[in-house]
Amino acid sequence: MSAHLESELPAALRGQWSYEPRYANVNGWRMHYIDEGKGDPVVLLHGNPTWGFLYRKMIPLLVGSGRRVVVPDMIGFGLSEKPTREDAHSLDGHTANLTALMRGLDLTRIALVCHDWGGPTGLSFAMSNSARVRALTIMSTWAWPLPPAEFHTRIFPWRMMHAPLVGPYLLGNHRALAGRGVYLSVVDREQFARTAQYAYEAVLPDPASRLLTWVWPRWIPLDENARAYERFKWLEQELSRSKLPALIVWGREDEVFDAATFSERFKQMLPHAEGPHLVTGRHFLQEDSGTEIAALIDSFLRRLDANEGKQ
Amino acid sequence: MTEVTLVATPSLEGKRLAFALAEDRVAHYPEFRDFFVRTFDLDRKGLTEPGFVRTSSGNLYAFIFIGRSGAPFPSGLEIYGVVDALEPVDGAVLDRDLWSILRWVIGGVGAPWTVEDFDRTGRLYRLPAASAA
């Protein structure tokens, strides 16, 4: 384990995250990722405010089923470099970061697993690098310009949380999203508080390190003048045309991207997709149902393998 | 009682500006930028001087506005405590003062932004300063 990782990861958590740290220079930034196992790659993408640790229950199962598992930490999160200026972050920039890693590793036949902001970034990568991507798994995210969830249009608590000055104070000084925010968005809160919460808080130790936790909410389009509106419009169009095999998995208790609205909309965009499969979980469904989700992905990929074998 | 009041530029002799909070994107919701322009007369003053406020704790804070090419002024904002030059900042007091300043900002920005929603948000995330709100 590198000295860098030793310094950032609490000792109590190293038993849960013992993977060899790897670093790549992507798009001008230092990105941390893990790369475990052999076989066709499964790339697991997290969102705000998590990191690869979110997938800790899934990685051993996917590696054990004969897959190569690559889990990057988004620039600004986890053990990756954390820029301290808001303008260092953009939706297109983060997609470019991921693209740089995928090309750097020369990954092909990628099964891409997208959650939260891993959705808009990962799906944008997939739509612009379709030759490298074999399949999609979509969880608690979105890929269209308007409207986001009704939750995102409300001032309490969403817009207030990342409002000018309030964002740096509440999410920066008081780590509201990396701490209590994730806690409120799992089902088994007692277990989460006991076994996992510290892992999310520990890698964002200082207010400045939490910058992206209030920057990402500001990239959610609320009207047609929003910065990312055109990118989401493009993404919706491209994804609707996509024939990539897809799996939709959603948290039954998800109150942010509720299953009835969001998973069904993905199903309409990708009518050939498997699912939606509902599992126990709020927004961070991997915390409550990681093992079950890994089994769903493995089963989905095995069917894909079998179908390709027949052709 | 008004918790935060505007004050004239104070003497900074024997003082230092202690960094407290920064905002890179003050116009993410443009009504916030409008509030600062209106409150600190920024269309006239521009970058010539910081704005100053005093909180109910008696502490002074400087609002330093940031300009950015291609963006309406101000694009950003930094808040500094005006403190005795060689003395450390009391973190708990600073936090309560920032809470007061933000309540004042939200109240000044006005509907649909409300101090009540700000207080509720603070309580939801169990901020120490919000417990008294």
Side-chain angles (χ1 to χ4, degrees), chain B residues 4 9 28 40 52-53 58 65 67 69 88 96 103 113 128 131 133:
Chain B
V4 175
T9 301
H28 177 70
F40 292 95
F52 291 90
V53 302
F65 296 98
S69 301
R96 285 196 296 274
R103 290 184 97 234
W113 300 88
S131 59

Side-chain angles (χ1 to χ4, degrees), chain A residues 191-214:
Chain A
Q191 174 171 282
F192 175 77
R194 185 166 38 82
T195 65
Q197 186 165 349
Y198 190 48
Y200 297 110
E201 295 176 342
V203 295
L204 300 173
D206 308 306
S209 70
R210 301 177 196 124
L211 171 68
L212 192 51
T213 71
W214 71 86

Side-chain angles (χ1 to χ4, degrees), chain B residues 24-109:
Chain B
D24 279 346
R25 192 172 165 82
V26 78
H28 177 70
Y29 295 118
E31 54 270 37
F32 282 73
R33 189 184 75 84
D34 295 344
F35 165 75
F36 292 116
V37 169
R38 192 171 63 241
T39 303
F40 292 95
D41 196 14
L42 296 181
D43 280 343
R44 187 176 63 83
K45 291 183 178 175
L47 285 165
T48 56
E49 60 188 63
F52 291 90
V53 302
R54 187 183 302 279
T55 64
S56 58
S57 68
N59 291 333
L60 276 175
Y61 288 87
F63 282 49
I64 295 182
F65 296 98
I66 311 294
R68 183 180 178 84
S69 301
F73 177 77
S75 62
L77 164 63
E78 295 170 352
I79 300 177
Y80 292 82
V82 181
V83 300
D84 291 339
L86 301 179
E87 290 300 311
V89 172
D90 182 325
V93 172
L94 172 63
D95 187 63
R96 285 196 296 274
D97 284 349
L98 286 175
W99 173 262
S100 298
I101 288 170
L102 290 175
R103 290 184 97 234
W104 171 73
V105 170
I106 296 293
V109 170

Side-chain angles (χ1 to χ4, degrees), chain A residues 74-86:
Chain A
M74 189 178 279
I75 296 298
F77 283 140
L79 303 173
S80 289
E81 183 173 352
K82 300 179 182 77
T84 55
R85 299 299 302 270
E86 178 150 352

Side-chain angles (χ1 to χ4, degrees), chain A residues 86 162 165 174 180 218, chain B residues 23-24 29 68 95 124:
Chain A
E86 178 150 352
H162 65 264
L165 289 174
H174 289 281
R180 189 161 166 79
R218 296 177 177 181
Chain B
E23 172 55 67
D24 279 346
Y29 295 118
R68 183 180 178 84
D95 187 63
L124 176 67

Side-chain angles (χ1 to χ4, degrees), chain A residues 14-26:
Chain A
R14 285 178 210 143
Q16 294 184 74
W17 190 261
S18 55
Y19 303 109
E20 181 187 348
R22 299 171 191 270
Y23 294 91
N25 186 289
V26 297

